[in-house]
Amino acid sequence: MRNGRGTLTALHLLLVWATMATAVPMLGFGLVAAAWGGGTGATVPVLFVGVPLALGLLTVAGLPARTVVPLCGSMSRRLGWAVLVFVLGTLGVLAGLAAYGGDVDLGSAETR
């Protein structure tokens, strides 16, 4: 880690986390607001705009880590990496919602 790769990796992870921690709640709020106001048909345009916007933000977030993250070396690989991060994050949220909706013991308030 003499050349700062560890620091760059940590900063990249922080950048990805911060980008998605701001973009995804806005996308979720837009979906809820569109569904509330216009029904299911109104959510489709929000998805058509929000998902590519989130993928674009992730693709840009991969730029600083081109030398550290092998999947961010070229534009096409960076886009594939962004899709992978977005899909895995979405699956994680859905798994969390399923656990919360089911009878999964989430521990006490101190644990959460």
Side-chain angles (χ1 to χ4, degrees), residues 4 10 40 45 79 90 96-97 101 103 106 110:
T40 307
L79 184 59
T90 302
L97 289 173
D103 290 333
L106 298 176
E110 292 85 24

Side-chain angles (χ1 to χ4, degrees), residues 23-52 54 86 90 93-94 97:
V24 171
M26 289 189 287
L27 176 61
F29 179 75
L31 286 172
V32 169
W36 191 286
T40 307
T43 61
V44 174
V46 174
L47 281 173
F48 278 143
V49 172
V51 170
F86 188 79
T90 302
V93 168
L94 293 176
L97 289 173

Side-chain angles (χ1 to χ4, degrees), residues 1 3 7 10 12 18 26 29 35 38 40 42 51 59 71 75 79 90 94 96 101 103 105 108 112:
M1 299 249 190
N3 59 2
T7 303
H12 178 247
M26 289 189 287
F29 179 75
T40 307
V51 170
T59 303
L71 287 177
M75 182 61 180
L79 184 59
T90 302
L94 293 176
D103 290 333
D105 182 27
S108 63
R112 283 175 276 172

Side-chain angles (χ1 to χ4, degrees), residues 38-87:
T40 307
T43 61
V44 174
V46 174
L47 281 173
F48 278 143
V49 172
V51 170
L53 180 64
L55 289 176
L57 287 172
L58 272 172
T59 303
V60 170
L63 280 172
R66 289 183 296 231
T67 59
V68 178
V69 181
L71 287 177
C72 292
S74 68
M75 182 61 180
S76 61
R77 294 182 80 178
R78 206 167 23 255
L79 184 59
W81 171 83
V83 169
L84 181 68
V85 168
F86 188 79
V87 167

